[in-house]
mmCIF file with all atom_site columns, all heavy atoms in Angstrom:
data_model
loop_
_atom_site.group_PDB
_atom_site.id
_atom_site.type_symbol
_atom_site.label_atom_id
_atom_site.label_alt_id
_atom_site.label_comp_id
_atom_site.label_asym_id
_atom_site.label_entity_id
_atom_site.label_seq_id
_atom_site.pdbx_PDB_ins_code
_atom_site.Cartn_x
_atom_site.Cartn_y
_atom_site.Cartn_z
_atom_site.occupancy
_atom_site.B_iso_or_equiv
_atom_site.pdbx_formal_charge
_atom_site.auth_seq_id
_atom_site.auth_comp_id
_atom_site.auth_asym_id
_atom_site.auth_atom_id
_atom_site.pdbx_PDB_model_num
ATOM 1   N N   . ARG A 1 43  ? 42.643 67.978 7.751  1.00 78.00 ? 55  ARG A N   1
ATOM 2   C CA  . ARG A 1 43  ? 44.010 68.239 7.310  1.00 78.00 ? 55  ARG A CA  1
ATOM 3   C C   . ARG A 1 43  ? 44.923 67.076 7.660  1.00 78.00 ? 55  ARG A C   1
ATOM 4   O O   . ARG A 1 43  ? 45.798 66.705 6.893  1.00 78.00 ? 55  ARG A O   1
ATOM 5   C CB  . ARG A 1 43  ? 44.527 69.518 7.965  1.00 78.00 ? 55  ARG A CB  1
ATOM 6   C CG  . ARG A 1 43  ? 43.986 70.742 7.308  1.00 78.00 ? 55  ARG A CG  1
ATOM 7   C CD  . ARG A 1 43  ? 44.385 71.972 8.071  1.00 78.00 ? 55  ARG A CD  1
ATOM 8   N NE  . ARG A 1 43  ? 43.979 73.161 7.342  1.00 78.00 ? 55  ARG A NE  1
ATOM 9   C CZ  . ARG A 1 43  ? 44.019 74.371 7.844  1.00 78.00 ? 55  ARG A CZ  1
ATOM 10  N NH1 . ARG A 1 43  ? 44.430 74.553 9.086  1.00 78.00 ? 55  ARG A NH1 1
ATOM 11  N NH2 . ARG A 1 43  ? 43.650 75.396 7.137  1.00 78.00 ? 55  ARG A NH2 1
ATOM 12  N N   . GLN A 1 47  ? 45.544 62.141 3.516  1.00 60.00 ? 59  GLN A N   1
ATOM 13  C CA  . GLN A 1 47  ? 46.557 61.438 2.725  1.00 60.00 ? 59  GLN A CA  1
ATOM 14  C C   . GLN A 1 47  ? 46.092 60.110 2.152  1.00 60.00 ? 59  GLN A C   1
ATOM 15  O O   . GLN A 1 47  ? 46.752 59.530 1.334  1.00 60.00 ? 59  GLN A O   1
ATOM 16  C CB  . GLN A 1 47  ? 47.820 61.213 3.546  1.00 60.00 ? 59  GLN A CB  1
ATOM 17  C CG  . GLN A 1 47  ? 48.943 62.155 3.177  1.00 60.00 ? 59  GLN A CG  1
ATOM 18  C CD  . GLN A 1 47  ? 48.797 63.492 3.833  1.00 60.00 ? 59  GLN A CD  1
ATOM 19  O OE1 . GLN A 1 47  ? 48.105 63.608 4.820  1.00 60.00 ? 59  GLN A OE1 1
ATOM 20  N NE2 . GLN A 1 47  ? 49.417 64.520 3.321  1.00 60.00 ? 59  GLN A NE2 1
ATOM 21  N N   . SER A 1 56  ? 47.255 44.988 6.204  1.00 68.00 ? 68  SER A N   1
ATOM 22  C CA  . SER A 1 56  ? 48.116 44.760 7.350  1.00 68.00 ? 68  SER A CA  1
ATOM 23  C C   . SER A 1 56  ? 47.524 43.761 8.323  1.00 68.00 ? 68  SER A C   1
ATOM 24  O O   . SER A 1 56  ? 46.387 43.850 8.732  1.00 68.00 ? 68  SER A O   1
ATOM 25  C CB  . SER A 1 56  ? 48.366 46.063 8.080  1.00 68.00 ? 68  SER A CB  1
ATOM 26  O OG  . SER A 1 56  ? 49.144 45.802 9.207  1.00 68.00 ? 68  SER A OG  1
ATOM 27  N N   . SER A 1 58  ? 48.927 43.350 11.210 1.00 78.00 ? 70  SER A N   1
ATOM 28  C CA  . SER A 1 58  ? 49.301 43.710 12.573 1.00 78.00 ? 70  SER A CA  1
ATOM 29  C C   . SER A 1 58  ? 48.303 44.659 13.224 1.00 78.00 ? 70  SER A C   1
ATOM 30  O O   . SER A 1 58  ? 48.511 45.091 14.340 1.00 78.00 ? 70  SER A O   1
ATOM 31  C CB  . SER A 1 58  ? 50.697 44.308 12.604 1.00 78.00 ? 70  SER A CB  1
ATOM 32  O OG  . SER A 1 58  ? 51.057 44.785 11.359 1.00 78.00 ? 70  SER A OG  1
ATOM 33  N N   . ASN A 1 193 ? 50.301 56.215 21.578 1.00 71.00 ? 205 ASN A N   1
ATOM 34  C CA  . ASN A 1 193 ? 50.864 55.669 22.811 1.00 71.00 ? 205 ASN A CA  1
ATOM 35  C C   . ASN A 1 193 ? 51.013 56.728 23.879 1.00 71.00 ? 205 ASN A C   1
ATOM 36  O O   . ASN A 1 193 ? 51.903 56.715 24.667 1.00 71.00 ? 205 ASN A O   1
ATOM 37  C CB  . ASN A 1 193 ? 52.185 54.953 22.551 1.00 71.00 ? 205 ASN A CB  1
ATOM 38  C CG  . ASN A 1 193 ? 53.079 55.775 21.671 1.00 71.00 ? 205 ASN A CG  1
ATOM 39  O OD1 . ASN A 1 193 ? 52.756 56.912 21.355 1.00 71.00 ? 205 ASN A OD1 1
ATOM 40  N ND2 . ASN A 1 193 ? 54.208 55.230 21.280 1.00 71.00 ? 205 ASN A ND2 1
ATOM 41  N N   . GLU A 1 265 ? 38.543 45.261 28.143 1.00 91.00 ? 277 GLU A N   1
ATOM 42  C CA  . GLU A 1 265 ? 38.934 45.083 29.528 1.00 91.00 ? 277 GLU A CA  1
ATOM 43  C C   . GLU A 1 265 ? 38.309 46.148 30.427 1.00 91.00 ? 277 GLU A C   1
ATOM 44  O O   . GLU A 1 265 ? 37.811 45.842 31.515 1.00 91.00 ? 277 GLU A O   1
ATOM 45  C CB  . GLU A 1 265 ? 40.459 45.149 29.620 1.00 91.00 ? 277 GLU A CB  1
ATOM 46  C CG  . GLU A 1 265 ? 40.998 44.460 30.835 1.00 91.00 ? 277 GLU A CG  1
ATOM 47  C CD  . GLU A 1 265 ? 42.514 44.474 30.826 1.00 91.00 ? 277 GLU A CD  1
ATOM 48  O OE1 . GLU A 1 265 ? 43.078 43.633 30.100 1.00 91.00 ? 277 GLU A OE1 1
ATOM 49  O OE2 . GLU A 1 265 ? 43.108 45.312 31.509 1.00 91.00 ? 277 GLU A OE2 1
ATOM 50  N N   . GLU A 1 413 ? 26.870 72.882 5.533  1.00 88.00 ? 425 GLU A N   1
ATOM 51  C CA  . GLU A 1 413 ? 27.215 73.316 4.186  1.00 88.00 ? 425 GLU A CA  1
ATOM 52  C C   . GLU A 1 413 ? 28.709 73.604 4.086  1.00 88.00 ? 425 GLU A C   1
ATOM 53  O O   . GLU A 1 413 ? 29.364 73.261 3.119  1.00 88.00 ? 425 GLU A O   1
ATOM 54  C CB  . GLU A 1 413 ? 26.405 74.583 3.867  1.00 88.00 ? 425 GLU A CB  1
ATOM 55  C CG  . GLU A 1 413 ? 26.507 75.072 2.453  1.00 88.00 ? 425 GLU A CG  1
ATOM 56  C CD  . GLU A 1 413 ? 25.852 74.141 1.455  1.00 88.00 ? 425 GLU A CD  1
ATOM 57  O OE1 . GLU A 1 413 ? 25.005 73.329 1.878  1.00 88.00 ? 425 GLU A OE1 1
ATOM 58  O OE2 . GLU A 1 413 ? 26.193 74.228 0.272  1.00 88.00 ? 425 GLU A OE2 1
ATOM 59  N N   . TYR A 1 419 ? 24.602 66.636 1.370  1.00 85.00 ? 431 TYR A N   1
ATOM 60  C CA  . TYR A 1 419 ? 23.466 66.666 0.457  1.00 85.00 ? 431 TYR A CA  1
ATOM 61  C C   . TYR A 1 419 ? 23.816 67.549 -0.738 1.00 85.00 ? 431 TYR A C   1
ATOM 62  O O   . TYR A 1 419 ? 23.836 68.773 -0.646 1.00 85.00 ? 431 TYR A O   1
ATOM 63  C CB  . TYR A 1 419 ? 22.215 67.181 1.189  1.00 85.00 ? 431 TYR A CB  1
ATOM 64  C CG  . TYR A 1 419 ? 21.792 66.230 2.269  1.00 85.00 ? 431 TYR A CG  1
ATOM 65  C CD1 . TYR A 1 419 ? 21.997 66.525 3.607  1.00 85.00 ? 431 TYR A CD1 1
ATOM 66  C CD2 . TYR A 1 419 ? 21.220 65.011 1.938  1.00 85.00 ? 431 TYR A CD2 1
ATOM 67  C CE1 . TYR A 1 419 ? 21.628 65.622 4.598  1.00 85.00 ? 431 TYR A CE1 1
ATOM 68  C CE2 . TYR A 1 419 ? 20.857 64.109 2.923  1.00 85.00 ? 431 TYR A CE2 1
ATOM 69  C CZ  . TYR A 1 419 ? 21.057 64.418 4.246  1.00 85.00 ? 431 TYR A CZ  1
ATOM 70  O OH  . TYR A 1 419 ? 20.700 63.527 5.216  1.00 85.00 ? 431 TYR A OH  1
ATOM 71  N N   . LYS A 1 420 ? 24.142 66.898 -1.846 1.00 82.00 ? 432 LYS A N   1
ATOM 72  C CA  . LYS A 1 420 ? 24.797 67.619 -2.934 1.00 82.00 ? 432 LYS A CA  1
ATOM 73  C C   . LYS A 1 420 ? 23.862 68.443 -3.806 1.00 82.00 ? 432 LYS A C   1
ATOM 74  O O   . LYS A 1 420 ? 24.277 69.438 -4.378 1.00 82.00 ? 432 LYS A O   1
ATOM 75  C CB  . LYS A 1 420 ? 25.559 66.633 -3.843 1.00 82.00 ? 432 LYS A CB  1
ATOM 76  C CG  . LYS A 1 420 ? 26.541 65.763 -3.095 1.00 82.00 ? 432 LYS A CG  1
ATOM 77  C CD  . LYS A 1 420 ? 27.828 66.493 -2.798 1.00 82.00 ? 432 LYS A CD  1
ATOM 78  C CE  . LYS A 1 420 ? 28.833 65.570 -2.125 1.00 82.00 ? 432 LYS A CE  1
ATOM 79  N NZ  . LYS A 1 420 ? 29.727 66.274 -1.205 1.00 82.00 ? 432 LYS A NZ  1
ATOM 80  N N   . THR A 1 422 ? 21.348 71.084 -5.232 1.00 83.00 ? 434 THR A N   1
ATOM 81  C CA  . THR A 1 422 ? 21.112 72.445 -4.774 1.00 83.00 ? 434 THR A CA  1
ATOM 82  C C   . THR A 1 422 ? 19.727 72.630 -4.176 1.00 83.00 ? 434 THR A C   1
ATOM 83  O O   . THR A 1 422 ? 19.572 73.329 -3.187 1.00 83.00 ? 434 THR A O   1
ATOM 84  C CB  . THR A 1 422 ? 21.313 73.430 -5.939 1.00 83.00 ? 434 THR A CB  1
ATOM 85  O OG1 . THR A 1 422 ? 22.606 73.186 -6.476 1.00 83.00 ? 434 THR A OG1 1
ATOM 86  C CG2 . THR A 1 422 ? 21.228 74.861 -5.470 1.00 83.00 ? 434 THR A CG2 1
ATOM 87  N N   . ARG B 2 40  ? 26.472 77.831 -1.318 1.00 92.00 ? 63  ARG B N   1
ATOM 88  C CA  . ARG B 2 40  ? 26.167 76.715 -2.197 1.00 92.00 ? 63  ARG B CA  1
ATOM 89  C C   . ARG B 2 40  ? 26.473 77.074 -3.660 1.00 92.00 ? 63  ARG B C   1
ATOM 90  O O   . ARG B 2 40  ? 27.103 76.320 -4.382 1.00 92.00 ? 63  ARG B O   1
ATOM 91  C CB  . ARG B 2 40  ? 24.704 76.303 -2.016 1.00 92.00 ? 63  ARG B CB  1
ATOM 92  C CG  . ARG B 2 40  ? 24.205 75.264 -2.987 1.00 92.00 ? 63  ARG B CG  1
ATOM 93  C CD  . ARG B 2 40  ? 24.980 73.965 -2.926 1.00 92.00 ? 63  ARG B CD  1
ATOM 94  N NE  . ARG B 2 40  ? 24.805 73.261 -1.684 1.00 92.00 ? 63  ARG B NE  1
ATOM 95  C CZ  . ARG B 2 40  ? 24.256 72.050 -1.569 1.00 92.00 ? 63  ARG B CZ  1
ATOM 96  N NH1 . ARG B 2 40  ? 23.824 71.435 -2.639 1.00 92.00 ? 63  ARG B NH1 1
ATOM 97  N NH2 . ARG B 2 40  ? 24.162 71.467 -0.411 1.00 92.00 ? 63  ARG B NH2 1
ATOM 98  N N   . LYS B 2 43  ? 30.177 77.233 -4.122 1.00 91.00 ? 66  LYS B N   1
ATOM 99  C CA  . LYS B 2 43  ? 30.764 75.893 -4.166 1.00 91.00 ? 66  LYS B CA  1
ATOM 100 C C   . LYS B 2 43  ? 30.471 75.205 -5.499 1.00 91.00 ? 66  LYS B C   1
ATOM 101 O O   . LYS B 2 43  ? 31.336 74.544 -6.053 1.00 91.00 ? 66  LYS B O   1
ATOM 102 C CB  . LYS B 2 43  ? 30.237 75.039 -3.016 1.00 91.00 ? 66  LYS B CB  1
ATOM 103 C CG  . LYS B 2 43  ? 30.989 75.221 -1.717 1.00 91.00 ? 66  LYS B CG  1
ATOM 104 C CD  . LYS B 2 43  ? 30.594 74.146 -0.722 1.00 91.00 ? 66  LYS B CD  1
ATOM 105 C CE  . LYS B 2 43  ? 31.532 74.129 0.471  1.00 91.00 ? 66  LYS B CE  1
ATOM 106 N NZ  . LYS B 2 43  ? 31.193 73.056 1.408  1.00 91.00 ? 66  LYS B NZ  1
ATOM 107 N N   . ASN B 2 44  ? 29.227 75.367 -5.959 1.00 91.00 ? 67  ASN B N   1
ATOM 108 C CA  . ASN B 2 44  ? 28.874 74.790 -7.260 1.00 91.00 ? 67  ASN B CA  1
ATOM 109 C C   . ASN B 2 44  ? 29.757 75.340 -8.360 1.00 91.00 ? 67  ASN B C   1
ATOM 110 O O   . ASN B 2 44  ? 30.272 74.603 -9.194 1.00 91.00 ? 67  ASN B O   1
ATOM 111 C CB  . ASN B 2 44  ? 27.413 75.078 -7.601 1.00 91.00 ? 67  ASN B CB  1
ATOM 112 C CG  . ASN B 2 44  ? 26.467 74.206 -6.796 1.00 91.00 ? 67  ASN B CG  1
ATOM 113 O OD1 . ASN B 2 44  ? 26.895 73.274 -6.133 1.00 91.00 ? 67  ASN B OD1 1
ATOM 114 N ND2 . ASN B 2 44  ? 25.192 74.523 -6.837 1.00 91.00 ? 67  ASN B ND2 1
ATOM 115 N N   . TYR B 2 135 ? 50.296 71.255 7.796  1.00 90.00 ? 158 TYR B N   1
ATOM 116 C CA  . TYR B 2 135 ? 49.570 70.268 6.984  1.00 90.00 ? 158 TYR B CA  1
ATOM 117 C C   . TYR B 2 135 ? 50.019 70.307 5.536  1.00 90.00 ? 158 TYR B C   1
ATOM 118 O O   . TYR B 2 135 ? 49.943 69.312 4.824  1.00 90.00 ? 158 TYR B O   1
ATOM 119 C CB  . TYR B 2 135 ? 48.059 70.461 7.091  1.00 90.00 ? 158 TYR B CB  1
ATOM 120 C CG  . TYR B 2 135 ? 47.577 71.859 6.797  1.00 90.00 ? 158 TYR B CG  1
ATOM 121 C CD1 . TYR B 2 135 ? 47.263 72.241 5.509  1.00 90.00 ? 158 TYR B CD1 1
ATOM 122 C CD2 . TYR B 2 135 ? 47.475 72.791 7.819  1.00 90.00 ? 158 TYR B CD2 1
ATOM 123 C CE1 . TYR B 2 135 ? 46.838 73.533 5.243  1.00 90.00 ? 158 TYR B CE1 1
ATOM 124 C CE2 . TYR B 2 135 ? 47.051 74.078 7.561  1.00 90.00 ? 158 TYR B CE2 1
ATOM 125 C CZ  . TYR B 2 135 ? 46.736 74.453 6.271  1.00 90.00 ? 158 TYR B CZ  1
ATOM 126 O OH  . TYR B 2 135 ? 46.331 75.718 6.009  1.00 90.00 ? 158 TYR B OH  1
ATOM 127 N N   . LEU B 2 193 ? 57.650 56.252 18.560 1.00 93.00 ? 216 LEU B N   1
ATOM 128 C CA  . LEU B 2 193 ? 56.716 55.876 17.489 1.00 93.00 ? 216 LEU B CA  1
ATOM 129 C C   . LEU B 2 193 ? 55.365 55.523 18.085 1.00 93.00 ? 216 LEU B C   1
ATOM 130 O O   . LEU B 2 193 ? 55.287 54.876 19.127 1.00 93.00 ? 216 LEU B O   1
ATOM 131 C CB  . LEU B 2 193 ? 57.225 54.630 16.771 1.00 93.00 ? 216 LEU B CB  1
ATOM 132 C CG  . LEU B 2 193 ? 58.555 54.697 16.035 1.00 93.00 ? 216 LEU B CG  1
ATOM 133 C CD1 . LEU B 2 193 ? 58.994 53.275 15.657 1.00 93.00 ? 216 LEU B CD1 1
ATOM 134 C CD2 . LEU B 2 193 ? 58.416 55.531 14.781 1.00 93.00 ? 216 LEU B CD2 1
ATOM 135 N N   . GLU B 2 202 ? 55.739 48.454 9.432  1.00 91.00 ? 225 GLU B N   1
ATOM 136 C CA  . GLU B 2 202 ? 55.734 47.013 9.165  1.00 91.00 ? 225 GLU B CA  1
ATOM 137 C C   . GLU B 2 202 ? 55.086 46.719 7.804  1.00 91.00 ? 225 GLU B C   1
ATOM 138 O O   . GLU B 2 202 ? 55.612 45.958 6.988  1.00 91.00 ? 225 GLU B O   1
ATOM 139 C CB  . GLU B 2 202 ? 54.970 46.294 10.276 1.00 91.00 ? 225 GLU B CB  1
ATOM 140 C CG  . GLU B 2 202 ? 54.949 44.796 10.070 1.00 91.00 ? 225 GLU B CG  1
ATOM 141 C CD  . GLU B 2 202 ? 54.118 44.085 11.130 1.00 91.00 ? 225 GLU B CD  1
ATOM 142 O OE1 . GLU B 2 202 ? 53.828 44.703 12.178 1.00 91.00 ? 225 GLU B OE1 1
ATOM 143 O OE2 . GLU B 2 202 ? 53.756 42.928 10.898 1.00 91.00 ? 225 GLU B OE2 1
ATOM 144 N N   . ASP B 2 203 ? 53.957 47.372 7.583  1.00 88.00 ? 226 ASP B N   1
ATOM 145 C CA  . ASP B 2 203 ? 53.239 47.152 6.335  1.00 88.00 ? 226 ASP B CA  1
ATOM 146 C C   . ASP B 2 203 ? 54.069 47.608 5.137  1.00 88.00 ? 226 ASP B C   1
ATOM 147 O O   . ASP B 2 203 ? 54.109 46.948 4.102  1.00 88.00 ? 226 ASP B O   1
ATOM 148 C CB  . ASP B 2 203 ? 51.941 47.967 6.386  1.00 88.00 ? 226 ASP B CB  1
ATOM 149 C CG  . ASP B 2 203 ? 50.852 47.305 5.589  1.00 88.00 ? 226 ASP B CG  1
ATOM 150 O OD1 . ASP B 2 203 ? 50.477 46.190 5.969  1.00 88.00 ? 226 ASP B OD1 1
ATOM 151 O OD2 . ASP B 2 203 ? 50.413 47.886 4.582  1.00 88.00 ? 226 ASP B OD2 1
ATOM 152 N N   . LYS B 2 291 ? 50.002 38.243 31.668 1.00 90.00 ? 314 LYS B N   1
ATOM 153 C CA  . LYS B 2 291 ? 49.095 37.684 30.662 1.00 90.00 ? 314 LYS B CA  1
ATOM 154 C C   . LYS B 2 291 ? 49.874 36.897 29.617 1.00 90.00 ? 314 LYS B C   1
ATOM 155 O O   . LYS B 2 291 ? 49.483 35.793 29.232 1.00 90.00 ? 314 LYS B O   1
ATOM 156 C CB  . LYS B 2 291 ? 48.350 38.816 29.955 1.00 90.00 ? 314 LYS B CB  1
ATOM 157 C CG  . LYS B 2 291 ? 46.963 39.064 30.451 1.00 90.00 ? 314 LYS B CG  1
ATOM 158 C CD  . LYS B 2 291 ? 46.321 40.073 29.528 1.00 90.00 ? 314 LYS B CD  1
ATOM 159 C CE  . LYS B 2 291 ? 44.848 40.222 29.796 1.00 90.00 ? 314 LYS B CE  1
ATOM 160 N NZ  . LYS B 2 291 ? 44.241 41.249 28.957 1.00 90.00 ? 314 LYS B NZ  1
ATOM 161 N N   . GLN B 2 320 ? 41.787 39.832 35.623 1.00 79.00 ? 343 GLN B N   1
ATOM 162 C CA  . GLN B 2 320 ? 42.122 39.521 34.228 1.00 79.00 ? 343 GLN B CA  1
ATOM 163 C C   . GLN B 2 320 ? 43.054 38.311 34.154 1.00 79.00 ? 343 GLN B C   1
ATOM 164 O O   . GLN B 2 320 ? 42.922 37.453 33.298 1.00 79.00 ? 343 GLN B O   1
ATOM 165 C CB  . GLN B 2 320 ? 42.814 40.708 33.539 1.00 79.00 ? 343 GLN B CB  1
ATOM 166 C CG  . GLN B 2 320 ? 41.943 41.913 33.372 1.00 79.00 ? 343 GLN B CG  1
ATOM 167 C CD  . GLN B 2 320 ? 42.210 42.943 34.436 1.00 79.00 ? 343 GLN B CD  1
ATOM 168 O OE1 . GLN B 2 320 ? 42.480 42.611 35.583 1.00 79.00 ? 343 GLN B OE1 1
ATOM 169 N NE2 . GLN B 2 320 ? 42.132 44.208 34.080 1.00 79.00 ? 343 GLN B NE2 1
#
Side-chain angles (χ1 to χ4, degrees):
Chain A
R55 282 173 174 170
Q59 256 82 21
S68 177
S70 21
N205 46 6
E277 203 176 281
E425 187 68 20
Y431 295 106
K432 305 280 184 211
T434 306
Chain B
R63 173 60 67 117
K66 275 192 168 183
N67 285 350
Y158 53 88
L216 297 168
E225 181 183 343
D226 210 63
K314 260 188 170 177
Q343 294 100 324

